[in-house]
Amino acid sequence: MKTIVTHIGMLATPLGRGPRRGRLQGQIQTLRDAWVLMEEGTVAQAGTGPAPGADQTIDARDRLVTPGLVDSHTHLIFGGWRQHELGMKLRGASYLDILAQGGGILSTVSATRAASQEELEDKAEKALDEMLSLGTTTCEAKSGYGLDVDTELKQLRAIRELDARHPMDLVPTFLGAHAIPAEHREDRAGYLRLLCQEAIPAVAAQGLARFCDVFCETGAFTAEESRIVLEAGKAHGLIPKIHADEIDPTGGSVLAGEVGAISAEHLIVCPPEGIASMARGGTVACLLPATSLYLGAPFAPARDMIGAGVPVALASDFNPGSCPCLDLQLVMTLGCLRYRLVPEEVLTAVTLNAAAAIGMAEQAGSLEPGKQADLVIWDAPDLDYLCYRMGSDLARTVIKKGRIVSSSD
């Protein structure tokens, strides 16, 4: 069946099937008085002037249309919440202070281990419904709150089940190297062996993840330990990702370029040598401005990265501790206000570059013939207005693979 979206006031989309970097990140296509023709879940044509015939018509009512947003960094699957840590933070406790007191990641690990797979799925599905209503049509989802083989696999199976039944496309990442679990606190080498010799082979054998991630940070894993984990993942066909330079510049961004990581994430205190390494390695910098906002932390040097030719993506970092936010509309506004990115660069960052950061740029991230018909009709006349209206939900109609999956009209 052919469906056409007509009366588009402005169609705004990046173009391409790979990440956009440097000045190209800000080059997008904008069409006025446009239409998009969809067939069998994909974009057939997009253009201006007289619209072709179709079996079904969706009237955009002179509004802005963009590709569906892509959230390239989430910790979607977890047990419990951590609202009690808010007061601790307000009284001056740092992330590492809370972790040292048995809170933080380790608190969520306990709750996730105790939850059934069905409970994890039900909780995550509510979050996915909210994300979809806000304009996100594809997201990455990490494990990392199990820190043992069985619970990590449980998290990844939950992601697989949700991907099968929810309209959202979910892309799974194995993050067993998120923290050292309490039972291995005095045996780091033993936990590394567990990850490399048991967990990673099991994840790969069951086809439960596309990527292997590691938290390379003070209090978590060193750059040397991170390299061991990522190389083990590569040996089993898992593409490397890395949490890098969030709190201290411990070498994670340099390592990202050296191991050919598809993305390096956080990068709040990324040094010049890390930016240079990512540029050489073709790594996408996945920045998380809502996390900086929530933690009162600095904001990553996004303009330096774009100037060096590193493609920049923006993501939510939705998780129960350091960023309980899943709203990419807020992230877009923060990208303008705190990273000093222009709206065109921000759009690329939450669509095409975000898709590239999770290996989905061939299918998602732009409105071009042959790509998935994932798009959002916004209550906005243009892209500037979408980024300008901080705190308002402007998503009116969300279309996934050619079908309306959320509408507030």
Side-chain angles (χ1 to χ4, degrees):
M1 184 176 77
K2 294 182 179 180
T3 302
I4 192 164
V5 181
T6 62
H7 301 120
I8 298 172
M10 174 185 281
L11 176 67
T13 180
L15 298 175
R17 284 172 161 75
R20 306 281 280 180
R21 66 195 76 227
R23 62 180 179 81
L24 297 180
Q25 174 148 358
Q27 293 185 4
I28 66 171
Q29 181 184 74
T30 57
L31 301 175
R32 293 281 187 177
D33 302 317
W35 47 263
V36 175
L37 180 66
M38 306 175 291
E39 186 173 7
E40 302 300 327
T42 63
V43 176
Q45 289 178 266
T48 60
D55 303 300
Q56 180 181 2
T57 299
I58 300 171
D59 190 344
R61 296 157 66 178
D62 294 322
R63 291 166 167 166
L64 170 72
V65 170
T66 72
L69 307 184
V70 178
D71 197 339
S72 52
H73 180 125
T74 83
H75 299 261
L76 177 70
I77 308 295
F78 57 86
W81 290 97
R82 303 213 311 260
Q83 66 269 27
H84 60 282
E85 292 178 9
L86 177 60
M88 298 171 69
K89 294 182 177 109
L90 294 174
R91 288 188 288 271
S94 70
Y95 176 86
L96 295 178
D97 291 336
I98 293 170
L99 187 65
Q101 295 176 43
I105 290 172
L106 297 182
S107 171
T108 301
V109 167
S110 296
T112 306
R113 287 179 176 181
S116 69
Q117 181 177 323
E118 292 73 19
E119 290 170 333
L120 295 175
E121 290 173 17
D122 290 345
K123 181 177 184 179
E125 191 163 24
K126 293 176 183 177
L128 289 174
D129 289 344
E130 185 179 353
M131 293 167 72
L132 195 67
S133 74
L134 292 168
T136 300
T137 55
T138 300
C139 83
E140 185 250 22
K142 303 180 190 293
S143 68
Y145 290 127
L147 308 187
D148 61 31
V149 176
D150 289 344
T151 313
E152 291 291 315
L153 296 179
K154 177 175 67 177
Q155 285 188 270
L156 292 170
R157 285 194 297 268
I159 295 167
R160 181 174 61 187
E161 290 301 315
L162 288 167
D163 181 50
R165 73 174 188 243
H166 197 276
M168 187 93 70
D169 281 328
L170 298 182
V171 180
T173 293
F174 171 63
L175 181 57
H178 199 187
I180 300 291
E183 61 268 25
H184 282 88
R185 190 170 293 140
E186 305 302 323
D187 185 19
R188 298 177 67 88
Y191 188 59
L192 284 172
R193 286 194 299 273
L194 177 74
L195 288 172
C196 297
Q197 298 176 17
E198 296 184 42
I200 287 173
V203 169
Q206 296 180 41
L208 289 174
R210 292 181 63 180
F211 304 103
C212 179
D213 200 346
V214 60
F215 189 16
C216 181
E217 189 53 77
T218 301
F221 294 86
T222 67
E224 293 75 17
E225 291 169 336
S226 298
R227 185 187 296 273
I228 291 169
V229 172
L230 296 179
E231 292 292 354
K234 287 173 69 173
H236 286 85
L238 301 181
I239 300 167
K241 284 178 168 285
I242 186 167
H243 285 55
D245 301 342
E246 179 183 4
I247 302 169
D248 296 311
T250 60
S253 54
V254 173
L255 177 62
E258 292 175 350
V259 300
I262 193 170
S263 66
E265 317 191 354
H266 284 288
L267 302 170
I268 288 174
V269 292
C270 184
E273 59 268 26
I275 294 175
S277 181
M278 291 189 296
R280 290 192 299 270
T283 299
V284 177
C286 184
L287 308 183
L288 312 170
T291 305
S292 290
L293 178 69
Y294 193 79
L295 295 178
F299 287 78
R303 288 251 59 99
D304 292 345
M305 294 172 186
I306 289 178
V310 177
V312 169
L314 303 180
S316 73
D317 190 25
F318 174 56
N319 73 78
S322 62
C323 192
C325 170
L326 44 68
D327 184 359
L328 282 184
Q329 294 180 52
L330 174 61
V331 166
M332 293 174 74
T333 303
L334 291 173
C336 292
L337 297 179
R338 302 312 302 263
Y339 293 146
R340 316 305 294 176
L341 305 186
V342 298
E344 293 80 5
E345 291 171 325
V346 164
L347 180 65
T348 301
V350 294
T351 56
L352 185 59
N353 280 5
I358 56 174
M360 290 286 286
E362 288 285 342
Q363 302 104 300
S366 63
L367 296 175
E368 301 177 76
K371 283 201 172 185
Q372 288 180 180
D374 298 349
L375 54 94
V376 184
I377 302 173
W378 303 97
D379 189 12
D382 52 40
L383 185 59
D384 289 346
Y385 188 86
L386 176 60
C387 292
Y388 153 81
R389 281 293 306 277
M390 180 175 178
S392 295
D393 177 13
L394 301 181
R396 289 297 170 263
T397 301
V398 181
I399 296 170
K400 179 66 180 178
K401 296 179 182 175
R403 182 173 64 88
I404 293 176
V405 291
S406 178
S407 178
S408 59
D409 274 344

